[in-house]
Amino acid sequence: MAIEMLTVCLPPTAVPAVHDAVDRAMAPFDMNGTAGSWQGEWDSWGIGGRSPFAVRPGAEHDPRLIRVEHLPGPSTPPPRPPSLCDGGPRGLLDLDTERDAVAARAREEWRTWHEYAGAFPPARTMDDFRREFNELHGTGPEARFRGLFEEQEVIRAIPGNPRVLALTTDMYDPVARFSGSEDGHVLQASTLVNTTDALLTLDGRWLDVSTDVWRDQSENHGKGYFGFADAYLLGVPGDCLLIRVRFRC
């Protein structure tokens, strides 16, 4: 079983009642319940874990914020700094600062690559070479076609451009990474900042990348799970709670 992260959205709730409110919201998705042939989404859960929320400056000591206190022990994680928390009212959480910074960095990276790549013939992605070789020779090791990818002018010239070299170091395929539109690249990066593996909405829907709704693009305008989840969290009323929950599935 794996440990994943869920963001639970709750209506306005007093701090002492948060655990019970999360418990009620998650109950319909319990693997240990009586769900018949459907096995549920989680086996066990707890508030807190990775992916804490940033707190809005000035609200660091607001008693409405949720911070899990761990019992002392050899593996006890250090306490969160006041600037981070495990949940609280949406209006006390800073969902903008890091998201805006990631978006700006992604835009700069996209433009850096395309300014550089525009001086070379159009390049092909690693997947292009993989499909071609698989069709001709069947599946096999990547080494068969990796060299052809690296022989492309735009790839061979990277070491001579320090800025692009720094950008693409350890990047598997920069051609594929920057192949989409500028806005699409920025959106893909920024929507990962506030979202988690799954989302439990105010109206009781459990959503993740496998949810059928993403096959019907009308609800999220083609942005997929992370695009929808990101927009949903940004739009939750300020007095409603967002809670980070780790769950085993």
Side-chain angles (χ1 to χ4, degrees):
M1 288 190 171
I3 302 295
E4 298 186 4
M5 291 299 297
L6 165 73
T7 302
V8 176
C9 304
L10 297 175
T13 306
V15 171
V18 164
H19 187 279
D20 288 345
V22 172
D23 190 42
R24 288 192 298 272
M26 295 188 65
F29 308 98
D30 186 355
M31 286 180 175
N32 305 298
T34 56
S37 60
W38 178 66
Q39 296 301 306
E41 302 287 356
W42 60 269
D43 177 62
S44 61
W45 64 272
I47 294 176
R50 65 182 190 272
S51 304
F53 286 109
V55 178
R56 287 198 180 280
E60 291 86 353
H61 303 289
D62 194 296
R64 293 171 292 172
L65 294 173
I66 308 297
R67 292 189 174 93
V68 175
E69 295 184 7
H70 299 276
L71 295 175
S75 60
T76 301
R80 298 214 187 279
S83 60
L84 298 175
C85 69
D86 297 303
R90 162 70 180 86
L92 299 182
L93 307 179
D94 184 359
L95 303 186
D96 301 316
T97 300
E98 179 63 17
R99 187 180 186 280
D100 291 347
V102 168
R105 186 161 59 248
R107 192 174 299 281
E108 180 181 358
E109 290 172 351
W110 190 95
R111 292 178 178 179
T112 294
W113 172 260
H114 280 272
E115 179 183 346
Y116 160 78
F120 299 92
R124 300 172 63 192
T125 68
M126 190 75 73
D127 279 346
D128 286 338
F129 288 105
R130 177 180 291 106
R131 283 191 295 270
E132 181 178 274
F133 267 70
N134 286 350
E135 288 174 0
L136 293 174
H137 309 292
T139 58
E142 184 177 291
R144 298 176 307 164
F145 51 83
R146 179 87 196 185
L148 292 176
F149 173 82
E150 293 176 346
E151 286 174 6
Q152 297 180 104
E153 289 185 50
V154 71
I155 303 299
R156 286 192 291 109
I158 287 177
N161 188 312
R163 188 180 181 193
V164 175
L165 179 61
L167 171 63
T168 59
T169 296
D170 298 324
M171 189 177 292
Y172 175 72
D173 183 352
V175 178
R177 179 74 170 269
F178 300 106
S179 62
S181 69
E182 178 177 346
D183 288 343
H185 180 76
V186 172
L187 181 69
Q188 183 179 39
S190 62
T191 56
L192 299 178
V193 174
N194 294 320
T195 52
T196 49
D197 305 310
L199 171 70
L200 185 50
T201 65
L202 287 169
D203 58 356
R205 291 181 296 164
W206 181 293
L207 305 175
D208 57 36
V209 293
S210 67
T211 307
D212 286 343
V213 70
W214 314 133
R215 299 170 190 167
D216 175 8
Q217 299 297 330
S218 60
E219 181 169 354
N220 66 332
H221 306 292
K223 298 177 183 177
Y225 163 71
F226 290 103
F228 175 85
D230 179 61
Y232 186 89
L233 295 178
L234 293 173
V236 167
D239 58 348
C240 290
L241 274 64
L242 305 181
I243 309 293
R244 294 298 202 211
V245 171
R246 66 189 182 279
F247 67 99
R248 187 174 67 173
C249 60

